[in-house]
Amino acid sequence: DVKVTQSSRYLVKRTGEKVFLECVQDMDHENMFWYRQDPGLGLRLIYFSYDVKMKEKGDIPEGYSVSREKKERFSLILESASTNQTSMYLCATTDSSQIYGYTFGSGTRLTVV
Amino acid sequence: DAKTTQPNSMESNEEEPVHLPCNHSTISGTDYIHWYRQLPSQGPEYVIHGLTSNVNNRMASLAIAEDRKSSTLILHRATLRDAAVYYCILGYNFNKFYFGSGTKLNVKP
């Protein structure tokens, strides 16, 4: 089974801090995605990457950046965390065929105080 | 992006079949119909997907209307473990997926 591992289950950070959320997958998938999930808003795509060093903006990229230096790792960076970035963050992967759908990680619940 | 309409919540008894509906009247010819579910405190999990024909797998069945404007996810025998939020999603490219609010399924013992 594909495993998508997010480094932290829960994080509490202060306003203005630089925050790194890490996602690692072990099945050689080309495509990786970062979503945030908020009550009443569903899942919203922040950024995605279809190859090493490649990145594309999703629907809500403002306030975020990403890094993909290795195929298995996709990092989401909050340059200066704000309280409105308090959310559940979900990483997902698919292979290039996209036949089998997304595999999601368990999520990181980030609280910015 | 094509959107879907699902009931906010549904209830089922354990061991009984569950039919979860989804309307997608603006579906395009290339859109696949995907279903995911999200158990409490977990990320979403792939359930099934299809294009035109009905599909079956070990988790569920997907019935697609002939005009493709609606579909139904069928859980043949609901268990307590099936209590989750179920998302119906349209898409061809994964970067264009739209996860709405889904249907919260409650399974009663």
Side-chain angles (χ1 to χ4, degrees):
Chain A
D1 279 356
V2 175
K3 266 193 138 174
V4 179
T5 304
Q6 294 186 229
S7 53
S8 304
R9 195 66 193 266
Y10 298 95
L11 270 181
V12 180
K13 296 292 182 180
R14 295 195 180 279
T15 301
E17 275 194 79
K18 190 169 186 175
V19 181
F20 293 86
L21 302 183
E22 305 287 344
C23 176
V24 178
Q25 51 107 352
D26 66 357
M27 280 295 289
D28 207 34
H29 279 186
E30 290 81 5
N31 306 311
M32 298 187 74
F33 305 79
W34 275 106
Y35 283 88
R36 64 177 283 177
Q37 184 173 28
D38 302 288
L41 297 175
L43 276 76
R44 294 179 290 168
L45 181 62
I46 304 171
Y47 267 96
F48 64 99
S49 167
Y50 51 86
D51 202 353
V52 176
K53 296 193 185 296
M54 305 299 286
K55 61 185 178 185
E56 296 281 345
K57 293 180 180 179
D59 298 320
I60 51 164
E62 296 79 19
Y64 303 95
S65 62
V66 290
S67 172
R68 193 163 179 204
E69 296 297 318
K70 294 184 177 181
K71 191 173 185 178
E72 67 270 19
R73 187 181 296 268
F74 192 36
S75 303
L76 180 69
I77 304 154
L78 288 66
E79 297 289 342
S80 178
S82 63
T83 54
N84 63 13
Q85 293 178 309
T86 292
S87 185
M88 170 68 84
Y89 289 88
L90 290 158
C91 176
T93 74
T94 67
D95 67 11
S96 57
S97 72
Q98 302 185 19
I99 291 176
Y100 299 106
Y102 280 117
T103 299
F104 279 88
S106 297
T108 296
R109 184 163 294 282
L110 173 67
T111 302
V112 182
V113 297
Chain B
D1 295 334
K3 298 295 191 287
T4 62
T5 303
Q6 300 177 253
N8 289 333
S9 63
M10 291 185 65
E11 202 163 74
S12 170
N13 294 317
E14 199 175 11
E15 304 289 314
E16 291 185 357
V18 181
H19 290 232
L20 298 164
C22 182
N23 288 318
H24 29 79
S25 58
T26 60
I27 190 170
S28 73
T30 56
D31 280 336
Y32 282 79
I33 301 161
H34 302 256
W35 283 83
Y36 283 75
R37 71 179 185 181
Q38 188 171 18
L39 302 170
S41 302
Q42 294 188 27
E45 168 187 39
Y46 169 81
V47 177
I48 200 167
H49 77 286
L51 186 62
T52 56
S53 304
N54 294 345
V55 185
N56 299 297
N57 67 21
R58 64 176 179 81
M59 290 181 72
S61 296
L62 176 60
I64 301 172
E66 199 167 329
D67 63 6
R68 300 207 330 124
K69 292 185 176 181
S70 66
S71 60
T72 302
L73 179 71
I74 303 165
L75 307 179
H76 296 287
R77 288 179 67 222
T79 69
L80 297 177
R81 198 190 169 280
D82 292 321
V85 177
Y86 287 79
Y87 298 97
C88 169
I89 302 155
L90 304 182
Y92 179 73
N93 289 315
F94 277 70
N95 54 308
K96 298 296 184 186
F97 272 23
Y98 173 73
F99 283 78
S101 299
T103 297
K104 185 172 185 179
L105 175 66
N106 182 37
V107 180
K108 296 185 294 183

